[in-house]
Amino acid sequence: MNAADEYLLGDSALYGRLCLITELLGQFVAGAPRAVGLAQLEQATGRPARELLRLCKLLCREQLLHPHPGQPRAWTLACETSRLTLEDAFRCAMSEQASRARPARQKNAGTAEADARQQDAVHPEIGMLVMQATMGINQSVFQHLRQFSLDRLRMTAAGMFLSRRSPDDGLRSWPPARLSFS
């Protein structure tokens, strides 16, 4: 088994983004139907607010989240938890990866032109065969990911209580909630 077998489509960066987006969506699934705020996401994931904010905006653009009208920097799921799948997370990871690549391509316009010339050099039959295989693989990947609903992610019992009162120090938080797979 080689190292590429451990990652989705042999891409460790895509695999990492998919895991992070799934973790974020898992927090929203666990908190549904309540809103989840940026501070909660920071505490649960250990990721910086700037990155989480960017990803939540992406999830809003992809129509998986809605901004909460009464709370700034808080969101709610845009659908029922049972309708949210790994396919949704994967599509968001792909969208984010494409938007990250766009500025790099614009900076390297010469490289893009060289890539286009290289693609033109491919025999049309080979290009058609590879394109058909790519489409088939993508359809198969989406079909398989669609089978994994994110409502399978649940909060552990220790993470169900958000805070408690203590007479000596006011409001004290419980440790961040953990997701478990059931």
Side-chain angles (χ1 to χ4, degrees):
M1 181 192 253
N2 70 40
D5 293 337
E6 297 175 17
Y7 301 110
L8 186 65
L9 305 178
D11 187 339
S12 63
L14 177 59
Y15 177 84
R17 300 318 288 172
L18 176 60
C19 289
L20 176 58
I21 290 170
T22 302
E23 182 179 8
L24 280 180
L25 288 172
Q27 293 298 320
F28 287 98
V29 166
R34 296 181 316 272
V36 177
L38 187 60
Q40 290 171 283
L41 294 174
E42 278 183 285
Q43 187 177 17
T45 65
R47 298 289 184 141
R50 184 176 172 185
E51 178 182 21
L52 295 171
L53 187 59
R54 183 176 44 77
L55 288 172
C56 286
K57 287 179 180 179
L58 168 73
L59 293 170
C60 285
R61 277 193 315 271
E62 297 292 325
Q63 300 179 348
L64 296 177
L65 296 180
H66 290 300
H68 189 275
Q71 298 174 334
R73 294 185 167 196
W75 303 267
T76 57
L77 281 176
C79 64
E80 294 176 25
T81 59
S82 61
R83 294 186 57 214
L84 198 58
T85 67
L86 275 177
E87 179 187 16
D88 297 311
F90 182 71
R91 287 183 185 276
C92 289
M94 295 293 291
S95 174
E96 193 226 2
Q97 192 174 40
S99 66
R100 284 178 155 207
R102 213 171 286 126
R105 270 184 278 168
Q106 289 171 352
K107 284 182 188 176
N108 303 324
T111 306
E113 290 173 16
D115 289 345
R117 281 193 303 272
Q118 185 179 7
Q119 286 177 353
D120 289 342
V122 172
H123 293 289
E125 299 84 16
I126 293 171
M128 182 64 79
L129 180 65
V130 171
M131 181 177 60
Q132 288 173 344
T134 302
M135 290 171 57
I137 290 167
N138 285 340
Q139 289 173 356
S140 179
V141 167
F142 291 140
Q143 179 182 7
H144 286 289
L145 292 175
R146 198 173 303 128
Q147 296 174 12
F148 295 92
S149 174
L150 295 188
D151 69 346
R152 295 168 71 178
L153 296 171
R154 298 281 183 231
M155 301 297 284
T156 60
M160 293 174 87
F161 305 101
L162 297 178
S163 62
R164 65 178 177 177
R165 292 232 174 247
S166 173
D168 56 315
D169 66 354
L171 188 65
R172 220 170 35 187
S173 295
W174 289 92
R178 297 193 191 290
L179 292 173
S180 66
F181 188 72
S182 58

